[in-house]
Amino acid sequence: MDGQTVEQIRTSLIRQLLFFDEQQLNVLDTYFPAYCTEPEERSSTAAWMEHYVAELEHIVSGLAGESPCLPDKVLIGSTVTLQQPAETKTYKICFPQDADPDSGRLSFLSPIGMRLLLASLHETVRLPAQCEGTDTVIADIRFEGDV
């Protein structure tokens, strides 16, 4: 990665950290309201978001070193190519307000988005609503930054 690219990636990831710092409670209240969401689902989603933030912090600190490297993990802002036995699908993982499933833009809060986020290149994942026995391999991950 060249210096400009590293700085663009760091800036994008820091924006995500700021988003979660400022908006995590609002996101939970909007998409997992306490009055109609099982407490376990809300708390597990909050813990999952905190885990994502911790991973982002680790990635950002690694980009500040002498030999910066972006790990091959699915992040918000990544375009992910999935290989299934019968087909290949590509999705962009984005924030909920930017989601448009018909054009392949999936919210990180969607069932598929939550399964893909932080998954690694070549990892096999089982996505919701799949037929039994069908595994999906993450064939490619391209981080494109801001979503």
Side-chain angles (χ1 to χ4, degrees), residues 94 96 98-107:
C94 61
D98 300 319
D100 181 5
D102 291 336
S103 66
R105 296 177 61 84
L106 300 180
S107 166

Side-chain angles (χ1 to χ4, degrees), residues 21-87:
D21 183 52
E22 296 171 354
Q23 298 295 323
Q24 183 170 342
L25 186 57
N26 185 43
V27 168
L28 287 169
D29 288 343
T30 301
Y31 297 98
F32 301 91
Y35 63 85
C36 67
T37 303
E38 292 293 326
E40 298 82 25
E41 181 181 12
R42 184 177 164 98
S43 65
S44 69
T45 302
W48 175 82
M49 284 194 278
E50 289 169 14
H51 174 70
Y52 180 74
V53 166
E55 287 289 321
L56 275 184
E57 289 170 342
H58 178 73
I59 292 167
V60 168
S61 68
L63 290 174
E66 287 186 26
S67 54
C69 180
L70 184 65
D72 287 330
K73 288 189 172 195
V74 178
L75 305 171
I76 298 169
S78 293
T79 297
V80 185
T81 301
L82 305 174
Q83 182 66 50
Q84 297 175 327
E87 64 183 329

Side-chain angles (χ1 to χ4, degrees), residues 110-113 115 126-131:
S110 70
I112 293 174
R115 290 275 175 94
R126 184 166 302 248
L127 299 179
Q130 283 187 317
C131 299

